[in-house]
Amino acid sequence: MIPVLAPHPDAADQLLRRPYALREAVAMTVDEAWDRIEDWLRVNAPATHAELPPPAGADGIRAAQDAIGCAFPAELTASLARHDGSGDFLLPPLHRLHGTRLIVAEYRAYRRAEHARSPEEPTWWDARWIPLAEDGCGNSLFLSQTPGPSFGRIGDHAKDGGGSFPEDGTPTSLGAFLESTAGGLQDGLWGAYEPYVDEDGFLEWREPDADLVVAWDMREMNRRYGFG
């Protein structure tokens, strides 16, 4: 049985106690990324912009940390202080950031699932992982607070396989993920995906040639099977 960590001091308070230069650098990384994201959404995807959640209050952040017994990284605290999750805004390609309540709910659900597993099975969820986002298909992202090389990194949690830390160029921190999202919006491309806004002003991420692939498949089906 993996022990649940004792509550740590409020991460927001820890952030405020840091030297000013370091505190400013952390906050500006997250805030500048959110500034760029919001500016793009306001102009190009106003419906998605309107759905962004309000900030999480200090009491809500503190309560969430106490509930899971793990202090939040400074970048997560700064992001929650900007938006309590991401609402209908998806970070590419499919990830929706958790708010404070969902962080707690998901953490408790994962811990229950871990406790239900037999001792012979490999660890499926570590008590020092903080749920960060989900993709709508049962898979999720987490922030590791485990001492060592994974500390502060974003991990990928597969519903059937547990957690891992990809080495495929995926952003390694929440700040880096937000910055790369802002860059993807402004550049029109994030990896293999581009931002697409529908006629109602909602954003989604698509593979650039998705429509062409569908059209080619239909032509091939018509040729092969004599449809149309």
Side-chain angles (χ1 to χ4, degrees):
M1 178 175 177
I2 301 174
V4 177
L5 301 182
H8 291 271
D10 178 35
D13 293 341
Q14 290 180 344
L15 183 61
L16 292 175
R17 292 194 190 102
R18 294 184 177 191
Y20 178 79
L22 177 58
R23 182 170 74 243
E24 190 71 8
V26 172
M28 288 301 290
T29 298
V30 171
D31 282 338
E32 285 183 343
W34 271 119
D35 282 342
R36 293 170 62 196
I37 290 169
E38 290 175 20
D39 288 346
W40 192 94
L41 293 176
R42 188 180 295 110
V43 173
N44 298 284
T48 295
H49 180 269
E51 296 294 325
L52 287 172
D59 289 344
I61 296 174
R62 183 179 296 110
Q65 291 179 112
D66 290 344
I68 71 172
C70 187
F72 290 168
E75 290 184 331
L76 178 56
T77 300
S79 184
L80 289 168
R82 188 69 178 251
H83 294 291
D84 192 12
S86 63
D88 287 335
F89 171 57
L90 300 181
L91 278 69
L94 293 171
H95 289 105
R96 190 186 312 273
L97 292 176
H98 294 330
T100 50
R101 291 184 179 181
L102 195 51
I103 288 173
V104 174
E106 291 292 279
Y107 182 87
R108 288 173 172 168
Y110 289 144
R111 292 293 290 145
R112 285 194 299 269
E114 176 64 28
H115 284 306
R117 296 167 67 81
S118 69
E120 292 77 22
E121 294 181 275
T123 299
W124 187 76
W125 182 265
D126 191 293
R128 292 159 294 190
W129 293 347
I130 301 173
L132 177 64
E134 52 86 18
D135 68 356
C137 301
N139 308 303
S140 59
L141 301 178
F142 62 88
L143 284 170
S144 173
Q145 293 296 279
T146 304
S150 71
F151 185 84
R153 291 191 61 189
I154 290 179
D156 188 0
H157 191 266
K159 60 181 179 180
D160 298 323
S164 63
F165 297 92
E167 300 293 347
D168 60 356
T170 303
T172 57
S173 70
L174 176 56
F177 197 7
L178 290 169
E179 287 188 88
S180 74
T181 299
L185 290 171
Q186 294 180 335
D187 297 340
L189 192 65
W190 188 93
Y193 298 87
E194 64 182 7
Y196 171 83
V197 180
D198 67 20
E199 60 184 12
D200 295 319
F202 288 99
L203 168 74
E204 61 181 276
W205 296 89
R206 290 184 174 182
E207 293 182 275
D209 296 331
D211 292 337
L212 294 177
V213 170
V214 171
W216 183 90
D217 285 345
M218 291 302 297
R219 286 197 298 270
E220 176 62 18
M221 289 179 66
N222 290 338
R223 183 192 67 78
R224 183 175 300 180
Y225 301 109
F227 298 148

